[in-house]
Amino acid sequence: MTHVRKAVFPVAGLGTRFLPATKSVPKEMLPLVDRPLIQYAVDEARAAGIEEFIFVTAAGKGALEDYFDTAAALERSLADSGKKEALAALGATRMPEGALTFLRQNQPRGLGHAVRLARRLVGDEPFAVLLPDDVIRGAEPALAQMVAAHARTGGHMVATMEVPLNKTASYGVLDVSSENGRIARARGLVEKPRPEVAPSTRAIIGRYILQPSIFDKLDMLGPGAGGELQLTDAINADVEATGVTGFSFAGERFDCGSIQGFVQATAAFAMDRLELRDEFQAFIAGRSEIHRVAA
Ligand code: G1P
């Protein structure tokens, strides 16, 4: 089984739900506490052994490239003034030379289209896709769990989670044929089905390990749900030839593409920080009381 070395990060989305904040800042640069969303995704990929990072970006996303670049003047000034902690904080943004590639998606034609653009960079080997909007908190990083499971299953693998029936239209959904522990074999996948026609409530979350055969399927497909080229449709088209499993990861997922999810993630990650926890918890408890009394 080939080692998964490359990961694609589709980061071309406009982030309209976060306007006006995203008018001049890419949504992937919005911070949960003090780390931008993209840092969580890149750290998760690194923890899973990823060595090459392919970002599919768009106009206005330059801040993402700068973020992973060295900031010589800033680093010099922090070093000169002895600000060791601040300097150390920049460590997370340092990537090995040549490990990052940025390519442009010129038109918003969907997730499938974004992934297809990475074809030449991915080449003929299995690769991961991480959607930075989906932030997963847990003891073992989700992609690392998947890489370990994928070494046994092969084929395409998608991360999955149970969702309420009335939410299926927000996700890709699996038609499950059999299950064994965290792994479910799929006989099909549907992008954003209405609850009446959803094959299950097992939803796809934004982590994938894909075989390069996906690119031929993406080439063959036309637009799907929402008029966009859907990655889910391409995986579905490859169910028989390549095999698809859903992996129900251990961890808590936050939908940081929505304001509600983003705020909840902010609270969860703040509570994880010992130096913030007590004061933050007391503050939230106090607010809850104020709103309870006012209601
Ligand atoms: C994308 C995928 C969908 C998946 C979701 C997970 O949808 O197309 O299959 O369930 O991510 O977050 P989006 O949320 O970008 O519309």
Side-chain angles (χ1 to χ4, degrees), residues 17 27 111-112 131 133-134 159 168-173 190-192 203-208 228 230-232 253 255:
R17 281 191 252 181
K27 78 172 164 182
L111 177 59
L131 310 187
D133 276 0
D134 283 328
T168 58
S170 301
Y171 297 94
V173 174
V190 192
E191 181 67 8
K192 306 210 165 83
I204 303 173
I205 300 306
R207 302 289 184 274
Y208 306 76
E228 297 187 336
Q230 294 294 349
L231 184 58
T232 303
R253 173 258 186 177
D255 174 12

Side-chain angles (χ1 to χ4, degrees), residues 68-83:
F68 289 106
D69 200 352
T70 46
L74 174 64
E75 288 176 29
R76 208 174 316 113
S77 120
L78 292 175
D80 289 350
S81 50
K83 298 210 164 101

Side-chain angles (χ1 to χ4, degrees), residues 160-163 168 171-176 179 181-184 199-204 246-248:
T160 62
M161 186 180 108
E162 283 295 324
V163 297
T168 58
Y171 297 94
V173 174
L174 261 63
D175 187 354
V176 176
E179 283 192 65
R182 294 195 174 276
I183 294 172
S200 76
T201 48
R202 187 69 58 87
I204 303 173
F247 181 78
S248 131

